[in-house]
Amino acid sequence: MPENTFKDELKAIFDDRAAFEKEEVGKYSFDKSPLWLFKKDEKNVGLGVVKPSRDRYQKELADLINLAKKYGKKIVIRGGGSGVLGAATPRIGNETVIIDMTDLDFFRINGEKTWVETGAGIIGSRLENSLNEIRRTLGHSPASLGISTPGGWVASRSSGQFSSNYGTIEDLVLSLEIVDAFGKISDIQENELQSFFRMEGTTGIITKVRMKIFPIDKNLFFRSYSFLTLNQSLEALRILFEARKTMEKEGVFLKAVRLYDFIDRFLVAKPHSPDKKEKNKSSLKRFLEKIILRYPDFLNRLAKDLEKIGLARPILIFVVSSLKKEKAEEWLNHLDNLFPPAGKKRKNDSIAKVWHENRFKLRYEKLEEKIKDGFVIDAFDCQPRDHKEIFKIYEAVKNAVKKYAIIGAHFGLDRKNYYIYFTFIGRGGLELYKKIWMRILAAAYKNRGYTAHHHGIGFLKAGKDNLSVKHAYGIKWLEEAEKRKRHLDPENIFNPGNIFNK
């Protein structure tokens, strides 16, 4: 059947909310993955992009699915486009229609103010700000809150900066409304939710998300510590993890935890530095940075040597809340006594406060500038299968990359797991970028680390022929995910090639 017939029928469904111009469709065909800053392949540009309307989206999406089946087309669902791994990028663009979900930005709150039901395409910060007006919060606070959506959070298994208290998105969602591969609208709850968590748009279209909401904290307390070694810092992190349940019984809640190694603290994440110190970097400083980054192995070894003599201290920052100030102070003093005494230093708590104030400040424009300037830069999130292996994974990944880029990391907690978030920066182009990613992934899974925590899998973690997907959340998860895909999308309409090798 002629191509223009398909487009004409698509326009009949979506009216002026369907676009086919290559330049316009290209804007929706790529996410925030640094990979696309090196190279955007035209084969990944979709055939067209459509935008469902608030009042007719159910019928529009059902009609789209039937039309896609009729013409043998595929569908990719896109939220805010904030993904960093390429999960919402079409694998076969010329056969794929992209759905822009951002007009589904409605929400309603129940009378008891215990949950919110929202369109899957609402921008997170807009939703959070609206809740704050009635003294409520999502509890979910990814750094990308200002450019990401609830549908994307579910699809990628998002985790927020307060996940130590509230958990990941999987702990917060009560139900979903979805449109399945047969055009049917369904309400998904309880165990059925697993068919959509982490599945990156491969099993259906998420149209509504019902999530728990919580009272805003009245009292926050900030703490910052440094330790001589990373192992001592990790012991303090373990103490926080194990003390948390007892703290909560007494009305004290561990809201956020970040443990930064020396490189991440001073050269990469800089949790203690407001943005204003970064804005006026001189051309001389940029030139020196280029020179220094030609010798990443030296800088990585120097940081390690400095740590051995106590001059490159990791820093632990955390935030607690409580309605009872006295009880919070009591617990903070108790934790101070529990932490490893050797080399422990109580730091200025403004470090933790500055992190808290700047926690949503993304630097994507700066990343673009760096890559145009000849750098490779990216982040990698992972988690250990057992917390005892966290240092082993950390060392293995750093050793795998140290000759090619400066690499730092911070550690955090959600309700069930520890996780590690690496950031690397080096001098080079696409080939170096790919090499670093291959070495990172291999080092993580060879040392019993899952290669995903809160960013999903996408292009970058899938590996050649998707052979590395089994390492993301484990082979048992993948086996169950494949069953769900076959059952829910037997004709492979939704996001083909993503996660599953077909």
Side-chain angles (χ1 to χ4, degrees):
M1 293 183 182
E3 192 70 39
N4 64 330
T5 304
F6 171 74
K7 291 180 179 179
D8 289 341
E9 292 188 41
L10 199 58
K11 284 182 179 179
I13 297 171
F14 290 95
D15 212 17
D16 61 349
R17 288 170 289 105
F20 302 99
E21 297 78 12
K22 199 162 193 175
E23 184 177 349
E24 181 66 16
V25 178
K27 296 175 185 177
Y28 295 86
S29 297
F30 301 95
D31 60 12
K32 297 290 189 185
S33 169
L35 176 64
W36 311 129
L37 296 177
F38 291 106
K39 182 181 181 182
K40 289 186 178 179
D41 197 323
E42 288 198 2
K43 73 179 181 182
N44 299 122
V45 175
L47 169 64
V49 59
V50 298
K51 183 175 283 194
S53 58
R54 288 190 192 186
D55 54 344
R56 298 185 67 248
Y57 70 87
Q58 292 179 332
K59 183 178 188 310
E60 289 169 345
L61 292 174
D63 289 347
L64 169 62
I65 288 166
N66 291 330
L67 190 65
K69 287 182 178 180
K70 176 182 173 182
Y71 285 92
K73 305 302 182 184
K74 305 301 181 182
I75 293 171
V76 165
I77 308 102
R78 189 182 196 270
S82 65
V84 293
L85 298 172
T89 297
R91 303 306 196 265
I92 42 174
N94 61 353
E95 297 294 325
T96 303
V97 175
I98 300 165
I99 308 175
D100 172 13
M101 301 293 288
T102 52
D103 270 2
L104 302 192
D105 60 353
F106 50 83
F107 66 92
R108 68 182 181 94
I109 301 163
N110 71 327
E112 293 77 22
K113 300 179 183 177
T114 56
W115 55 254
V116 61
E117 183 177 77
T118 179
I122 192 169
I123 294 298
S125 57
R126 181 186 164 222
L127 180 59
E128 176 68 12
N129 291 338
S130 298
L131 290 170
N132 291 170
E133 292 175 4
I134 58 167
R135 304 298 298 167
R136 291 294 184 271
T137 178
L138 289 167
H140 191 62
S141 55
S144 62
L145 192 70
I147 55 173
S148 60
T149 62
W153 300 341
V154 172
S156 62
R157 200 258 189 182
S158 174
S159 178
Q161 296 167 347
F162 296 146
S163 60
S164 173
N165 184 190
Y166 300 110
T168 70
I169 195 67
E170 294 174 322
D171 300 300
L172 296 171
V173 170
L174 299 169
S175 67
L176 301 172
E177 179 189 82
I178 64 100
V179 183
D180 67 20
F182 308 97
K184 180 183 175 184
I185 314 297
S186 299
D187 186 58
I188 304 298
Q189 300 180 32
E190 299 178 344
N191 291 338
E192 290 182 319
L193 292 170
Q194 297 306 318
S195 295
F196 299 89
F197 287 138
R198 315 185 190 197
M199 297 297 283
E200 301 184 11
T202 59
T203 50
I205 306 171
I206 300 168
T207 51
K208 287 183 185 176
V209 181
R210 182 177 294 184
M211 300 173 60
K212 301 173 187 175
I213 57 176
F214 306 88
I216 287 181
D217 293 305
K218 292 183 178 179
N219 302 310
L220 291 176
F221 304 84
F222 301 89
R223 285 294 183 271
S224 307
Y225 289 87
S226 70
F227 297 86
L228 277 176
T229 68
L230 187 62
N231 270 321
Q232 290 172 347
S233 306
L234 288 170
E235 175 62 14
L237 191 67
R238 183 193 64 78
I239 288 167
L240 286 171
F241 186 87
E242 294 185 354
R244 180 175 52 191
K245 285 186 179 179
T246 307
M247 292 168 63
E248 290 174 351
K249 289 177 182 177
E250 298 185 22
V252 180
F253 300 92
L254 183 63
K255 307 299 291 188
V257 186
R258 288 288 187 276
L259 166 59
Y260 293 88
D261 72 6
F262 178 77
I263 287 178
D264 214 36
R265 176 185 176 187
F266 283 107
L267 298 178
V268 185
K270 302 179 184 178
H272 57 301
S273 299
D275 275 358
K276 63 183 180 182
K277 292 186 179 180
E278 292 289 299
K279 284 181 179 175
N280 298 317
K281 205 180 249 189
S282 69
S283 57
L284 176 60
K285 285 184 178 179
R286 289 201 301 272
F287 173 75
L288 291 174
E289 192 175 53
K290 289 181 183 180
I291 298 298
I292 289 169
L293 286 171
R294 291 186 182 277
Y295 309 98
D297 193 21
F298 169 75
L299 290 171
N300 287 315
R301 282 189 286 110
L302 178 62
K304 196 165 187 176
D305 291 341
L306 289 173
E307 182 183 332
K308 288 178 183 177
I309 59 174
L311 295 179
R313 288 172 169 260
I315 189 165
L316 174 70
I317 61 177
F318 61 97
V319 185
V320 303
S321 72
S322 180
L323 293 175
K324 304 171 183 176
K325 295 182 181 180
E326 298 81 6
K327 182 58 71 174
E329 291 293 347
E330 181 183 316
W331 259 104
L332 289 168
N333 291 333
H334 181 54
L335 289 168
D336 182 72
N337 291 327
L338 290 176
F339 289 157
K344 176 181 66 178
K345 284 186 180 180
R346 170 80 181 277
K347 305 292 287 184
N348 187 331
D349 293 333
S350 65
I351 297 173
K353 290 179 182 177
V354 169
W355 169 82
H356 187 263
E357 291 165 1
N358 291 276
R359 66 192 185 279
F360 296 124
K361 289 186 178 177
L362 295 175
R363 300 174 179 178
Y364 189 74
E365 292 77 11
K366 186 165 289 187
L367 185 147
E368 286 183 302
E369 290 175 9
K370 291 276 189 188
I371 289 177
K372 288 177 183 176
D373 228 7
F375 294 94
V376 294
I377 183 169
D378 208 348
F380 168 67
D381 60 310
C382 65
Q383 57 183 311
R385 300 184 192 189
D386 186 298
H387 77 274
K388 295 175 183 176
E389 296 168 328
I390 193 167
F391 185 74
K392 181 182 175 184
I393 295 166
Y394 167 82
E395 287 278 89
V397 170
K398 292 200 75 169
N399 286 334
V401 177
K402 65 183 182 181
K403 292 182 180 179
Y404 306 100
I406 297 175
I407 182 166
H410 72 255
F411 304 79
L413 303 175
D414 58 35
R415 294 302 295 177
K416 300 169 187 172
N417 300 303
Y418 298 73
Y419 65 87
I420 318 174
Y421 190 97
F422 293 93
T423 305
F424 63 83
I425 180 169
R427 287 281 293 159
L430 180 59
E431 291 309 310
L432 177 63
Y433 181 77
K434 289 179 178 179
K435 179 184 285 189
I436 290 172
W437 263 102
M438 289 173 61
R439 295 182 70 86
I440 283 176
L441 290 169
Y445 69 69
K446 283 179 182 176
N447 288 275
R448 290 178 49 79
Y450 292 127
T451 58
H453 181 260
H454 58 276
H455 281 168
I457 301 169
F459 258 103
L460 285 171
K461 292 182 180 177
K464 186 178 180 182
D465 297 325
N466 287 24
L467 293 176
S468 295
V469 171
K470 62 186 176 184
H471 302 297
Y473 305 110
I475 188 66
K476 289 184 179 178
W477 174 85
L478 180 57
E479 289 171 352
E480 287 301 314
E482 287 174 333
K483 290 178 186 176
R484 295 180 182 119
K485 173 67 171 177
R486 287 195 298 270
H487 173 67
L488 291 168
D489 186 20
E491 295 182 47
N492 196 25
I493 293 173
F494 297 122
N495 210 349
N498 191 51
I499 299 180
F500 310 103
N501 189 22
K502 61 176 183 175

